[in-house]
């Protein structure tokens, strides 16, 4: 067995789509394929097409979303337990990421802790759907209403998931997805911003193309902007036709192929590793339908490193999502302390999960892990 922690699952259909762009379309930049991908994403997310902006990474999506929704210099509440991309995106927009503690049951933002970190400069909250779990989203919306904050969802893990029957991205203020190489769907690299707020959408749409005003519409008409104005800071963050062509195929494979496969493999993990003294899973709300992007578990009682080593010895790679950001030099170097996050950090271990794994392989991983824990 050659087990990988995660991987891109692409095949002939994606290769054909890329070939179509390379050979037939003859324009590799941002054009028809990106427009069609945005339209298909919008249909999937039950949104109007002008509410979805494709970009070249999830980090770019978060950066543009924060820049469009929050003035520079203001604070954004964000769980420390997230990929450094969330923090870097807030900082790139000239804002200040304020690290918050995590809930023990879901590793998502602890709103009680977040409430203690509100200042007159707080303008937004960035919940992270850790391991695809939108836990606490309703409470976050209530919290944001009460404190008059924008909500920028880091939904990098949560493409295709449903919260109480509604797809993540089909409702809410600003939602950012990632389509990097190992996400629920991939474009190679990529991401998108979703929002119903016309001004936020306009600012994101322009800023992905160096803030050249209305350049998207010009490109979709197969032309170029020669005479234009710029009022905002912009970036080269647009998606290419090659990326979009891959994404369109992947989107078509999510519901019947990738989604059920990830759900099934995660269920096997939960079933075979149930009721072990030193192992705990994060809780998903039964009313949510989750397509798990990663499979983190907690190894309790100080055993994480030895268990991780035993799995490595057996050829089973594991990960750790994530090193908390407040421990990084740039974001406080451990101050202030976030006790739950730090405890979770000492326990976290991510097991292999991707649609290319077989049920036998997951069964084997469970057997090795159970044996190591015995
Ligand atoms: C929680 C989280 N936020 C943001 C990102 C950034 O997405 P990307 O890698 O597409 O830039 C990731 C990607 O791994 C992520 O896991």
């Amino acid at each position: 067995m050659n087990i990988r922690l995660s991987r891109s699952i692409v095949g002939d259909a994606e290769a054909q789509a890329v070939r179509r762009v390379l050979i037939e379309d003859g324009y590799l930049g941002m054009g028809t394929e990106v427009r069609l991908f945005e339209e298909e994403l919008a249909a999937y997310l039950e949104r109007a097409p002008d509410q979805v902006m494709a970009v070249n990474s999830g980090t770019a999506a978060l950066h543009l979303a924060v820049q469009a929704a929050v003035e520079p210099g203001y604070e954004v509440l964000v769980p420390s337990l997230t990929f450094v991309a969330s923090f870097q995106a807030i900082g790139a927009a000239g804002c200040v990421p304020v690290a918050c503690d995590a809930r023990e049951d879901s590793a998502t933002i602890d709103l009680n802790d977040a409430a203690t970190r509100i200042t007159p400069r707080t303008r937004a909250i960035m919940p992270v759907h850790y391991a695809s779990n939108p836990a606490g989203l309703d409470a976050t919306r209530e919290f944001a209403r009460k404190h008059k904050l924008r909500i920028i969802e880091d939904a990098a893990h949560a493409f295709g998931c449903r919260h109480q029957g509604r797809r993540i991205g089909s409702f809410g203020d600003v939602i950012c997805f990632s389509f990097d190489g190992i996400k629920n769907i991939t474009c190679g690299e990529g991401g998108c911003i979703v929002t119903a707020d016309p001004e936020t959408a306009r600012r994101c749409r322009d800023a992905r193309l160096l803030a050249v005003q209305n350049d998207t519409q010009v490109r979709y008409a197969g032309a170029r902007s020669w005479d234009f104005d710029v009022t905002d800071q912009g970036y080269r963050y647009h998606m290419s036709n090659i990326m979009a062509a891959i994404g369109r195929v992947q989107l078509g494979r999510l519901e019947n192929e990738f989604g059920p496969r990830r759900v099934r493999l995660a269920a096997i993990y939960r079933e075979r590793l149930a009721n072990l003294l030193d192992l705990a899973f994060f809780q998903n709300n039964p009313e949510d339908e989750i397509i798990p992007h990663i499979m983190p578990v907690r190894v309790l009682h100080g055993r994480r490193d030895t268990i991780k080593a035993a799995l490595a010895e057996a050829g089973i790679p594991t990960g750790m999502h994530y090193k908390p950001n407040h421990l990084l030099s740039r974001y406080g170097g451990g101050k202030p302390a976030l006790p739950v996050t730090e405890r979770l950090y000492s326990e976290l271990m991510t097991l292999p999960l991707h649609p290319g794994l077989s049920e036998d392989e997951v069964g084997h991983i469970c057997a090795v892990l159970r044996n190591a824990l015995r």
Side-chain angles (χ1 to χ4, degrees):
M1 282 182 188
N2 177 18
I3 293 174
R4 287 172 52 171
L5 184 60
S6 54
R7 60 169 299 172
S8 309
I9 307 293
V10 288
D12 284 344
E14 286 83 355
Q16 286 300 326
V18 170
R19 188 186 149 78
R20 188 183 66 238
V21 173
L22 293 179
I23 310 294
E24 291 168 31
D25 188 311
Y27 181 61
L28 316 189
M30 175 172 158
T32 307
E33 288 291 327
V34 180
R35 177 177 61 77
L36 292 172
F37 186 40
E38 284 180 347
E39 286 174 9
E40 288 160 10
L41 286 168
Y44 181 76
L45 298 171
E46 298 157 39
R47 293 276 192 172
D50 63 357
Q51 295 179 2
V52 178
M53 281 68 62
V55 289
N56 60 14
S57 73
T59 309
L62 291 167
H63 177 186
L64 295 184
V66 176
Q67 176 174 291
V70 186
E71 291 295 313
Y74 288 96
E75 296 169 1
V76 180
L77 301 167
V78 57
S80 181
L81 198 66
T82 180
F83 190 39
V84 67
S86 321
F87 275 64
Q88 288 280 20
I90 294 167
C95 297
V96 181
V98 176
C100 299
D101 213 349
R103 276 170 50 174
E104 182 159 351
D105 62 341
S106 59
T108 54
I109 192 165
D110 175 353
L111 294 174
N112 292 327
D113 181 75
T116 68
R117 303 187 191 283
I118 290 194
T119 75
R121 303 192 69 75
T122 311
R123 289 291 181 279
I125 183 166
M126 183 183 283
V128 176
H129 302 323
Y130 180 88
S132 314
N133 186 358
L137 186 53
D138 296 332
T140 303
R141 283 155 66 84
E142 192 46 48
F143 179 94
R145 220 182 336 264
K146 183 169 156 204
H147 297 287
K148 299 191 171 47
L149 306 178
R150 297 294 300 266
I151 308 178
I152 298 156
E153 286 172 54
D154 182 339
H157 295 188
F159 191 77
C161 301
R162 286 179 186 272
H163 173 58
Q164 296 178 350
R166 300 160 82 195
R167 206 163 256 145
I168 296 296
S170 69
F171 62 97
D173 185 2
V174 190
I175 303 92
C176 297
F177 293 108
S178 162
F179 306 135
D180 78 17
I182 57 168
K183 290 297 191 297
N184 285 356
I185 66 167
T186 185
C187 295
E189 297 288 350
C192 76
I193 307 147
V194 186
T195 182
D197 177 53
E199 182 57 12
T200 306
R202 186 196 64 73
R203 292 191 68 187
C204 291
R205 186 174 295 112
D206 284 353
R208 71 178 162 176
L209 287 160
L210 295 170
V212 171
Q213 288 184 346
N214 300 318
D215 198 28
T216 292
Q217 293 83 326
V218 176
R219 284 177 185 245
Y220 287 169
R224 271 190 75 173
S225 301
W226 298 109
D227 181 16
F228 55 80
D229 196 15
V230 165
T231 56
D232 234 344
Q233 176 63 55
Y235 310 87
R236 290 286 281 180
Y237 278 176
H238 59 277
M239 182 175 273
S240 74
N241 275 346
I242 296 178
M243 301 159 98
I246 297 171
R248 292 181 66 202
V249 176
Q250 290 268 305
L251 182 58
R253 297 176 66 181
L254 179 63
E255 288 291 302
N256 294 326
E257 191 184 343
F258 300 147
R261 183 106 207 114
R262 284 183 178 275
V263 169
R264 172 77 191 127
L265 297 177
I268 296 175
Y269 275 126
R270 284 180 183 269
E271 194 184 291
R272 306 249 174 110
L273 298 173
N275 305 321
L276 293 172
L277 216 51
D278 291 338
L279 197 82
F281 286 93
F282 292 109
Q283 303 302 320
N284 295 331
N285 186 334
E287 289 173 15
D288 294 338
E289 291 164 51
I290 284 172
I291 299 178
H293 157 55
I294 51 172
M295 194 70 224
V297 293
R298 294 168 59 194
V299 185
L300 309 176
H301 310 124
R303 301 188 65 194
R304 195 266 315 273
D305 292 344
T306 46
I307 297 298
K308 223 172 141 48
L311 289 177
E313 181 81 1
I316 298 166
T318 56
M320 201 176 46
H321 292 81
Y322 294 92
K323 177 162 186 182
N325 286 273
H326 76 285
L327 300 182
L328 306 177
S329 304
R330 187 166 177 83
Y331 303 119
K335 289 199 188 72
L338 299 175
V340 178
T341 300
E342 283 161 40
R343 179 151 38 78
L344 289 176
Y345 175 49
S346 71
E347 298 170 346
L348 284 171
M349 179 176 80
T350 305
L351 298 170
L353 183 67
H354 56 79
L357 275 175
S358 69
E359 295 188 16
D360 282 350
E361 284 169 323
V362 171
H364 170 70
I365 296 165
C366 293
V368 173
L369 179 51
R370 287 184 73 98
N371 196 36
L373 284 165
R374 195 174 293 144

